[in-house]
Amino acid sequence: VEPLFVIKLDAAKKQVIVGSKEALLVRQFTLRECNWLDSDKLREGEVMVKLRSMHPGAMARVHDVGGGRALVELPEPQAAVSPGQACVA
């Protein structure tokens, strides 16, 4: 029996959606409330991002989409990217 992982929580429907470990993998996600400390270098381009405190880091392309938001694209899929987590570049 393969273990199941929480993929999504749907509070409105009172549902917990589960799936395989592969279902946790993502290639892109959107950030909100971005804090650009070195804005010219980070708003567009390739950077190393950390998705969790113990995450070793992964290469990514960051695109400023305006309104304090950014699109992060990962050449290699990463697991367990969850809403509300910080992303540090």
Side-chain angles (χ1 to χ4, degrees):
V1 175
E2 297 220 11
L4 295 175
F5 298 85
V6 175
I7 305 302
K8 181 180 175 183
L9 297 173
D10 189 333
K13 294 181 181 178
K14 298 181 182 178
Q15 292 180 337
V16 177
I17 292 82
V18 297
S20 67
K21 189 170 186 175
E22 289 78 29
L24 293 173
L25 297 175
V26 298
R27 285 194 174 269
Q28 70 177 24
F29 55 92
T30 302
L31 301 174
R32 65 178 194 272
E33 300 177 33
C34 294
N35 185 7
W36 303 104
L37 299 178
D38 193 353
S39 62
D40 292 337
K41 290 184 181 176
L42 288 179
R43 287 185 185 234
E44 294 291 332
E46 202 165 284
V47 296
M48 177 73 69
V49 297
K50 286 190 71 169
L51 305 172
R52 296 173 301 286
S53 63
M54 299 302 291
H55 186 259
M59 291 308 295
R61 288 200 59 80
V62 177
H63 307 277
D64 184 355
V65 295
R69 296 170 14 117
L71 175 67
V72 179
E73 296 178 312
L74 303 158
E76 296 295 322
Q78 298 294 311
V81 176
S82 300
Q85 282 181 233
C87 176
V88 179

